[in-house]
């Protein structure tokens, strides 16, 4: 069974602070995919990144970076120099690779960035 | 590409009425998923289709819920009869099964009064 844990329910920061959102996952599959989605106040789910289990290289995209560590089953997300527009709920998700696999979501972390 | 298109965006209905939610996946995607989001339960998968065939409907809460995918470009989620506890945001998503990337629609906010 797949499981994703986002222990941080809500994080509040002041603009320009760096913030890291934690994600820990459980799976028995040797191949799997990890995702991050952003849900702004408008409600849509916006895809941010997909990472394959066989690619542990960290990724940076502008102010966003992701740290994937198989040894600790973690896929953490860091926003550098946060902005008010980053305020949203962020979901980490996992999809296995055995048969037809569904995307399993964590409970989300609400990020509040104040001016 | 227009992305995953869901309709309606908002639906308010009275308890006992039939509700039909609609989804048009991205052209070429062969997997389609219906999710429900509530404050209490978060994002939960209701059902998913691969090549128009239902693969796993274990998340469908009860017999009042049904989903169909008559062709590759259209799916419906029906609730009959609706109850206040069905109030939630219902998302449709599509993907290429072996690619792993899911694209979500904008969701349908359902309110049953």
């Amino acid at each position: 069974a797949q499981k994703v844990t986002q222990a941080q329910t809500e994080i509040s920061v002041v603009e320009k602070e760096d913030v890291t959102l934690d994600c820990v996952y459980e799976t028995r599959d040797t191949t799997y995919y990890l995702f991050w989605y952003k849900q702004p106040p408008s409600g849509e789910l916006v895809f941010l990144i997909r990472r394959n289990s066989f690619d542990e290289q960290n990724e940076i995209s502008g102010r966003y970076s992701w740290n994937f560590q198989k040894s600790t089953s973690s896929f953490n997300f860091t926003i550098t120099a946060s902005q008010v527009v980053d305020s949203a709920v962020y979901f980490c998700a996992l999809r296995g690779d055995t048969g037809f696999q569904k995307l399993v979501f964590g409970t989300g972390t609400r990020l509040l960035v104040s001016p | 590409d227009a992305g995953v298109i869901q309709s309606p965006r908002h639906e308010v209905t009275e308890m006992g009425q039939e509700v039909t939610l609609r989804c048009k996946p991205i052209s070429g995607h062969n997997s389609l998923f219906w999710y429900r989001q509530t404050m209490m339960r978060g994002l939960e998968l209701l059902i998913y289709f691969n090549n128009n065939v239902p693969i796993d409907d274990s998340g469908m809460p009860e017999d009042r819920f049904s989903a169909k995918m008559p062709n590759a470009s259209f799916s419906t989620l029906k609730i009959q009869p609706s109850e206040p506890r069905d109030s939630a945001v219902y998302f449709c998503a599509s993907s290429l099964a072996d690619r792993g990337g899911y694209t979500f629609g904008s969701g349908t906010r359902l309110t049953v009064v």
Side-chain angles (χ1 to χ4, degrees), chain B residues 58-78:
Chain B
S58 60
M60 296 285 264
E62 47 196 279
D63 292 345
R64 298 184 297 105
F65 286 69
S66 62
K68 294 182 180 179
M69 192 166 186
N71 56 61
S73 59
F74 184 66
S75 176
T76 59
L77 177 67
K78 185 177 293 186

Side-chain angles (χ1 to χ4, degrees), chain A residues 1-3 26-29 94 104:
Chain A
Q2 327 283 349
K3 184 179 179 181
E26 296 176 29
T27 180
R28 293 181 181 174
D29 291 353
L94 165 70
V104 175

Side-chain angles (χ1 to χ4, degrees), chain A residues 2 15 20 25 28 31 33 62 72 77-78 81 98 101 113:
Chain A
Q2 327 283 349
E15 216 171 13
T20 296
Y25 62 90
R28 293 181 181 174
T31 301
Y33 305 88
T72 56
F77 173 31
T78 296
T98 305
Q101 288 285 345
V113 183

Side-chain angles (χ1 to χ4, degrees), chain A:
Chain A
Q2 327 283 349
K3 184 179 179 181
V4 176
T5 300
Q6 295 180 256
Q8 304 153 307
T9 304
E10 185 170 308
I11 301 175
S12 293
V13 299
V14 177
E15 216 171 13
K16 299 183 182 177
E17 284 186 27
D18 298 346
V19 58
T20 296
L21 310 181
D22 298 333
C23 173
V24 175
Y25 62 90
E26 296 176 29
T27 180
R28 293 181 181 174
D29 291 353
T30 54
T31 301
Y32 50 90
Y33 305 88
L34 295 162
F35 303 79
W36 277 94
Y37 283 84
K38 174 182 179 180
Q39 188 172 42
S42 52
E44 70 270 28
L45 282 162
V46 180
F47 168 80
L48 294 179
I49 189 173
R50 183 192 75 179
R51 172 63 68 209
N52 303 331
S53 57
F54 45 85
D55 180 5
E56 288 193 69
Q57 187 173 10
N58 292 328
E59 182 157 337
I60 298 175
S61 177
R63 297 185 296 107
Y64 295 172
S65 62
W66 290 269
N67 182 2
F68 176 31
Q69 292 195 348
K70 289 180 75 171
S71 61
T72 56
S73 298
S74 64
F75 185 44
N76 297 337
F77 173 31
T78 296
I79 302 174
T80 303
S82 60
Q83 300 176 1
V84 173
V85 293
D86 296 327
S87 297
V89 180
Y90 291 87
F91 291 95
C92 181
L94 165 70
R95 176 185 178 270
D97 200 39
T98 305
F100 295 109
Q101 288 285 345
K102 60 187 179 185
L103 190 63
V104 175
F105 283 87
T107 51
T109 297
R110 180 179 300 277
L111 175 65
L112 300 173
V113 183
S114 54

Side-chain angles (χ1 to χ4, degrees), chain B residues 48-104:
Chain B
Y48 72 98
F49 296 83
N50 185 262
N51 293 324
N52 310 340
V53 176
I55 301 300
D56 182 355
D57 65 354
S58 60
M60 296 285 264
E62 47 196 279
D63 292 345
R64 298 184 297 105
F65 286 69
S66 62
K68 294 182 180 179
M69 192 166 186
N71 56 61
S73 59
F74 184 66
S75 176
T76 59
L77 177 67
K78 185 177 293 186
I79 307 173
Q80 166 62 23
S82 58
E83 298 182 2
R85 59 192 168 124
D86 302 330
S87 297
V89 179
Y90 291 81
F91 286 102
C92 176
S94 70
S95 78
L96 282 173
D98 60 350
R99 293 292 187 270
Y102 289 41
T103 302
F104 283 80

